[in-house]
Amino acid sequence: MRMALTPKTCHGAGASGPACPTSPRPLRVALVGSPNVGKSALFNRLTHRYVTVSNYPGTSVEIARGTGSLDGLPVEILDTPGLYSLSSDTEEQRAVRRLLLEGGADVLVHVVDAKLVSRMLALTLQLMELGRPLVVALNMMDEASRHGVRVDAAALSERLGLPVVPLVAVTGAGLADLERAIAEASRRPVPLPPPYGNGVGEAVRDLRDRLRGSYPVDPTAVAALLLQGDAEAAALVKSAEPDGGRRALAAAAELGARLEAPPAYRLAVERRLAAAALADPLVRREERPTAAWGTRLGRLVTRPATGIPVMLLVLYVGLYQFVGRFGGGTLVDWIEGSVFEQRLNPWMAEWFARLPWEAVRALFVGEYGLLTLGLRYAVAIILPVVGTFFVFFSVLEDSGYFPRLALLVDRGFKRMGLSGRAVIPMVLGFACDTMATLVTRTLATKRERVLATFLLALAIPCSAQLGVILALLAHRPQALGVWAAALLGIFLAVGWLAARLLPGAGPLFHLELPPMRWPRLGNVLTKTVMRMQWYFLEVLPLFLVASVLLWAGDLTGVFGWISGALTPVVGALGLPAETGRIFLFGFFRRDYGAAGLFDLERRGLLSVAQLTVAAVTLTLFVPCIAQFLTMIKERGLKTALAMLGIITPLAFGAGWALHWLLRGWG
């Protein structure tokens, strides 16, 4: 197969059509489609570069780029966040739309879940309006077969006038056919979608004919968006039209008024009807036992009467027993005790004892040494906890449980100004709050994104911090109960109050539910290894830098001065003076502070009540540096500083109140 580097034919080329690429550069192929259809899995196959593959929206929040080759010639593959329509309402979906409207891709591959082809073809019709070479990839054909769904791909291709390729991205089945289809699509004319009924198609064509400017894509797409009152399309028209878009905007308003209903609604309805007319006759369905089993299980975990007990059972087995007791207890005890304390630490101390400079010895094997503190915390305490958490997390996400959890908690989240969709970043926060802060882009409104970011920074512990605290409190059920109740109560109360103080309308909730499935062992292992590698490469340098700063602070006396300044603060919480340093550790990273708390408990410096107060305060304490920088990037410096200014006194205030409450209880 030979692949052209640039499309040979572009629909509507000329003054009002898309500009065909002429420079000898790699062909840009964009993978587009709804969430949960396998775009990232296909990206991995085409580029041999791993990006996270998950069963819920929010995994891809930025456009990932990778290179591949077709018949020895280079291509650039773009993995885009999921979107249901070009009329999108979230930041990451608007980024995809800008890419498409600006002609940033030479060939579009619309990745479609074969089980839901009738529903998803509405987006195919919108993509056809762009006039760009287009391929439809019918993904998950194996799951469609298990669910008794049969799609006549050849007949659908003939009806659409586009290549339609059945494939299974996770196994690579059909990949060669897709590569050939991409090559052919770049050389063939692109048909416009069939005309929409009830006057909608005529309105779009009429408005298209009135556009006189030059656009990167076919003006049909611009006209359709302009008819819906889209702000970005209006800005594009104003910049491209000779009269600044005045006639086009007036025509859009006039034609929209004739539709006797909101144009966005009318266009969506007519696209749905056109998609169903195209696909329904070509799709056969029959009930399968495996599909019925997954459907029944999916219903059980979304109904409050059964879903809440299942959620509690999952948390008990996964977080408490597997992550807390096994990862944070058994594995940490073995690595920290048998490996570091009995073998590595004595050997390293003996080796560095040969050095005549006490300060240099302290840098490596002292109380704040690179090896005895930084490396030990990262490898012996944090890594086993993170590893077990990511195994648990990967099993849940590969099963399709997370979107159903979002549906289950939607009503409760609405009381805090959030939709059930916000459970996705909240759950991701238990893995890594930095990653979760990025995923708040998937929330529809600025108000919801600010609320979610604030609650993540306040009351959601990351996997390492959570695992260490669970390990510390696992053998003290009352302390664990107080810690969990305090965090949940503060999360709900602060969320409820913030939702009433922040202006804005309440959120809407819509989410595509993928099928429940048995997790694939290969997926679980790959995700776990990749996430552990990413986390370890991020955390180890920061732990080592923190150790150097603490060593320097101890050597110069600055650390002692800061610890002394914190003594009255921790004393007000009923904690010993040594506890002040764990809050210094927590300033560098939350998990670094949790590891310091682990050390204090092992040395017998904390009673059960003191451990509980310290755990609650540290969990609520300032976010780690990486998360804070991400908050600045996503929400702005003023908003991030305001959140920090609220969180810090709130954390110590909650610790103080809990200390006196526990003291009163005896």
Side-chain angles (χ1 to χ4, degrees):
M1 172 185 66
R2 294 295 297 172
M3 178 153 203
L5 286 178
T6 56
K8 297 297 183 182
T9 306
C10 295
H11 181 85
S16 62
C20 292
T22 57
S23 59
R25 54 164 173 76
L27 191 80
R28 291 172 299 187
V29 179
L31 308 180
V32 185
S34 304
N36 312 324
V37 296
K39 296 185 300 298
S40 294
L42 183 56
F43 178 83
N44 295 342
R45 286 282 172 183
L46 291 170
T47 64
H48 306 291
R49 171 191 166 195
Y50 183 80
V51 293
T52 302
V53 180
S54 297
N55 223 357
Y56 54 88
T59 304
S60 300
V61 292
E62 293 180 332
I63 296 172
R65 298 174 184 266
T67 56
S69 67
L70 297 175
D71 197 27
L73 296 176
V75 292
E76 183 182 22
I77 310 296
L78 312 178
D79 179 26
T80 65
L83 79 166
Y84 298 101
S85 164
L86 295 187
S87 306
S88 302
D89 57 359
T90 62
E91 288 184 23
E92 88 285 2
Q93 292 179 2
R94 283 192 287 271
V96 180
R97 182 176 62 179
R98 282 193 293 271
L99 171 80
L100 298 177
L101 287 179
E102 292 169 3
D106 303 321
V107 179
L108 307 179
V109 177
H110 184 202
V111 187
V112 171
D113 184 345
K115 301 184 301 297
L116 306 171
V117 61
S118 297
R119 187 189 312 173
M120 294 189 174
L121 276 188
L123 179 56
T124 306
L125 300 180
Q126 260 192 300
L127 296 175
M128 292 173 72
E129 293 169 5
L130 294 166
R132 285 287 180 182
L134 178 63
V135 176
V136 177
L138 282 182
N139 194 24
M140 304 183 188
M141 291 297 293
D142 54 340
E143 286 192 1
S145 178
R146 285 197 297 271
H147 283 73
V149 178
R150 296 284 185 273
V151 182
D152 189 339
L156 182 60
S157 175
E158 185 177 348
R159 285 192 169 206
L160 288 172
L162 299 171
V164 177
V165 182
L167 78 154
V168 182
V170 294
T171 66
L175 195 64
D177 294 334
L178 179 64
E179 292 175 348
R180 282 192 292 271
I182 292 172
E184 293 167 5
S186 68
R187 297 190 293 262
R188 65 188 293 178
V190 181
L192 286 173
Y196 307 132
N198 297 312
V200 172
E202 289 84 347
V204 172
R205 286 195 299 274
D206 191 352
L207 186 54
R208 179 194 187 279
D209 292 341
R210 301 191 191 196
L211 297 177
R212 295 290 180 267
S214 178
Y215 297 94
V217 296
D218 191 280
T220 303
V222 179
L225 289 170
L226 188 64
L227 189 64
Q228 299 172 70
D230 183 84
E232 290 187 5
L236 181 62
V237 167
K238 288 177 183 178
S239 64
E241 292 297 308
D243 65 345
R246 287 187 296 274
R247 285 185 298 178
L249 291 171
E254 177 191 346
L255 293 168
R258 294 180 191 173
L259 297 178
E260 300 178 352
Y265 169 78
R266 290 297 311 276
L267 271 162
V269 168
E270 293 304 326
R271 284 196 187 104
R272 292 281 184 188
L273 292 173
L278 284 166
D280 284 353
L282 308 178
V283 178
R284 293 187 293 108
R285 301 178 183 274
E286 59 185 52
E287 188 67 27
R288 293 289 179 87
T290 54
W293 173 85
T295 302
R296 286 196 297 269
L297 181 60
R299 289 172 182 162
L300 284 176
V301 298
T302 54
R303 292 172 179 167
T306 51
I308 292 175
V310 169
M311 179 183 68
L312 295 176
L313 179 64
V314 166
L315 293 176
Y316 173 76
V317 174
L319 286 182
Y320 180 74
Q321 292 291 345
F322 184 61
V323 178
R325 302 198 69 170
F326 176 68
T330 305
L331 291 182
V332 169
D333 287 345
W334 178 75
I335 298 174
E336 209 242 351
S338 301
V339 177
F340 272 83
E341 289 186 0
Q342 295 181 17
R343 293 179 174 82
L344 288 181
N345 283 1
W347 176 80
M348 290 185 294
E350 181 181 354
W351 196 92
F352 279 96
R354 304 168 189 172
L355 298 177
W357 307 285
E358 174 63 29
V360 176
R361 289 200 302 271
L363 173 62
F364 290 95
V365 294
E367 184 179 6
Y368 306 113
L370 287 166
L371 303 177
T372 52
L373 184 73
L375 184 66
R376 178 171 64 88
Y377 276 11
V379 175
I381 298 177
I382 301 303
L383 194 60
V385 170
V386 167
T388 49
F389 181 87
F390 282 151
V391 171
F392 165 65
F393 191 86
S394 299
V395 168
L396 288 187
E397 70 172 352
D398 211 51
S399 68
Y401 179 66
F402 283 157
R404 287 163 176 82
L405 180 61
L407 190 62
L408 179 66
V409 303
D410 177 59
R411 182 175 296 180
F413 269 45
K414 288 276 176 55
R415 300 178 187 274
M416 298 185 295
L418 300 170
S419 69
R421 190 181 179 92
V423 83
I424 301 299
M426 294 300 165
V427 170
L428 286 174
F430 287 108
C432 175
D433 282 302
T434 303
M435 175 174 60
T437 303
L438 287 172
V439 173
T440 58
R441 294 179 187 177
T442 63
L443 304 179
T445 65
K446 180 180 179 181
R447 177 177 183 264
E448 196 175 3
R449 292 191 289 271
V450 169
L451 278 170
T453 301
F454 177 69
L455 291 173
L456 281 168
L458 173 68
I460 302 296
C462 68
S463 56
Q465 186 186 49
L466 176 65
V468 172
I469 290 175
L470 286 175
L472 289 172
L473 304 181
H475 301 288
R476 305 168 179 86
Q478 288 180 315
L480 182 61
V482 170
W483 173 80
L487 286 183
L488 181 61
I490 291 170
F491 178 85
L492 295 175
V494 171
W496 181 86
L497 183 61
R500 277 141 189 81
L501 293 177
L502 280 176
L508 300 175
F509 178 51
H510 59 87
L511 188 67
E512 192 80 42
L513 289 179
M516 292 291 290
R517 56 167 72 103
W518 286 108
R520 295 174 182 263
L521 180 61
N523 285 356
V524 171
L525 293 178
T526 301
K527 293 174 186 178
T528 301
V529 170
M530 294 298 297
R531 284 171 172 156
M532 285 178 64
Q533 179 184 16
W534 165 78
Y535 192 88
F536 189 67
L537 290 175
E538 179 193 76
V539 77
L540 181 59
L542 290 174
F543 275 28
L544 296 179
V545 169
S547 294
V548 172
L549 293 176
L550 292 170
W551 166 81
D554 185 54
L555 190 65
T556 59
V558 173
F559 182 63
W561 179 82
I562 296 175
S563 297
L566 286 174
T567 299
V569 178
V570 298
L573 306 182
L575 302 174
E578 293 86 351
T579 318
R581 76 174 193 171
I582 72 167
F583 293 107
L584 274 179
F585 291 179
F587 177 75
F588 294 108
R589 277 191 66 92
R590 283 182 169 186
D591 39 12
Y592 201 73
L597 186 62
F598 184 89
D599 264 356
L600 288 183
E601 194 274 340
R602 286 291 178 89
R603 291 163 54 191
L605 297 177
L606 298 172
S607 67
V608 176
Q610 289 174 324
L611 180 61
T612 307
V613 171
V616 169
T617 309
L618 187 63
T619 306
L620 297 172
F621 192 48
V622 295
C624 69
I625 292 175
Q627 183 183 358
F628 182 63
L629 292 176
T630 305
M631 290 165 60
I632 294 174
K633 176 185 175 185
E634 295 296 310
R635 306 281 86 88
L637 179 61
K638 289 184 180 179
T639 302
L641 288 174
M643 291 180 183
L644 196 64
I646 296 171
I647 289 170
T648 303
L650 181 58
F652 285 105
W656 178 84
L658 182 60
H659 160 61
W660 285 104
L661 186 61
L662 293 179
R663 187 173 178 177
W665 282 349

